[in-house]
Amino acid sequence: MAKLTVAGIPVADIVRLGPVIPVLAFDSAEQGENVSRALHAGGVKVLEITLRTEAGLEAIERAAQIAPDIVVGVGTITRPEQCALAKKAGAQFGVSPGLTKEMHAAAVEAGLPLLPGVMTPTDIITALELGYEIVKFFPAQPAGGVPMLQAFHGPFPALKFCPTGGITPESASTFLALPNVVCVGGSWLTPKAAVASQNWAEITRLARAASELSRPVR
């Protein structure tokens, strides 16, 4: 299988910077900057800031300037043209809930390393044909969770996953223990109540706990 190469930090390196990639959606760019700073203070080096709100692109731009060791990705890419917009805003990688050939081509053209979403064996085969070695399993828990990833390991032994969707602090370690999981995505690091009350210390505490989750060396 050919290794997919685009400009920037390879996805294979990004997913190994920490066991948990927080999945984030912000009401404002200012809120995004504050949350991103709190997460970074807790040891989280990789962020996925989604385009689920209008503040997404500006939040990415601000977060990318917080520290030299922070890696900011754009999440919920659903249209090819979003790849170039996110790259211009400062995103260093992209995450999508699914994958099309058009989206793949747009990511390559924009120089945006992509972590594409898969849910079925057909999705996986498409991703493999396009050269991907690491994919997002989404929505992880509703789509079968740990048993499904265990089942995928047989026919796709070389493929690595970042499961996202429905993962909790209690279940994260179970996912991380699987031989084909390199990290997990989760939203539990930023509880709505903590964000609303601007309790940045609580977010830093949760980030520190997530950063200390163990995973086998692979």
Side-chain angles (χ1 to χ4, degrees):
M1 178 171 55
K3 185 177 179 66
L4 186 70
T5 303
V6 294
I9 305 172
V11 169
D13 293 339
I14 293 171
V15 297
R16 290 177 172 82
L17 291 176
V20 181
I21 298 177
V23 181
L24 309 165
F26 299 122
D27 295 331
S28 68
E30 182 180 7
Q31 181 188 78
E33 182 177 352
N34 288 328
V35 170
S36 297
R37 288 186 183 280
L39 290 167
H40 184 263
V44 171
K45 302 294 179 64
V46 182
L47 310 177
E48 178 191 335
I49 299 178
T50 69
L51 298 181
R52 298 177 188 178
T53 68
E54 293 183 359
L57 288 175
E58 188 178 349
I60 288 169
E61 186 174 0
R62 291 196 187 193
Q65 300 174 32
I66 287 174
D69 63 344
I70 199 168
V71 178
V72 181
V74 54
T76 321
I77 292 178
T78 57
R79 302 193 307 275
E81 62 268 22
Q82 291 173 323
C83 294
L85 292 173
K87 179 71 174 182
K88 184 178 180 180
Q92 292 169 273
F93 70 103
V95 185
S96 62
L99 178 65
T100 64
K101 291 183 179 179
E102 291 78 13
M103 189 178 297
H104 164 76
V108 171
E109 183 177 356
L112 187 73
L114 187 64
L115 180 65
V118 302
M119 190 179 74
T120 69
T122 300
D123 295 339
I124 289 174
I125 290 170
T126 298
L128 290 173
E129 288 178 347
L130 291 172
Y132 291 92
E133 298 176 340
I134 302 173
V135 294
K136 167 182 173 177
F137 178 45
F138 176 82
Q141 203 61 54
V146 168
M148 184 66 83
L149 287 165
Q150 290 172 325
F152 283 155
H153 190 50
F156 309 111
L159 190 64
K160 303 299 182 184
F161 294 87
C162 171
T164 303
I167 297 176
T168 66
E170 294 74 27
S171 65
S173 293
T174 305
F175 279 94
L176 290 168
L178 296 176
N180 55 348
V181 170
V182 288
C183 66
V184 300
S187 58
W188 77 85
L189 282 71
T190 54
K192 290 183 179 180
V195 175
S197 63
Q198 300 185 19
N199 188 349
W200 313 133
E202 173 64 6
I203 291 174
T204 295
R205 184 189 71 79
L206 292 169
R208 188 170 293 113
S211 300
E212 291 173 354
L213 286 171
S214 62
R215 55 182 172 174
V217 178
R218 302 189 181 103

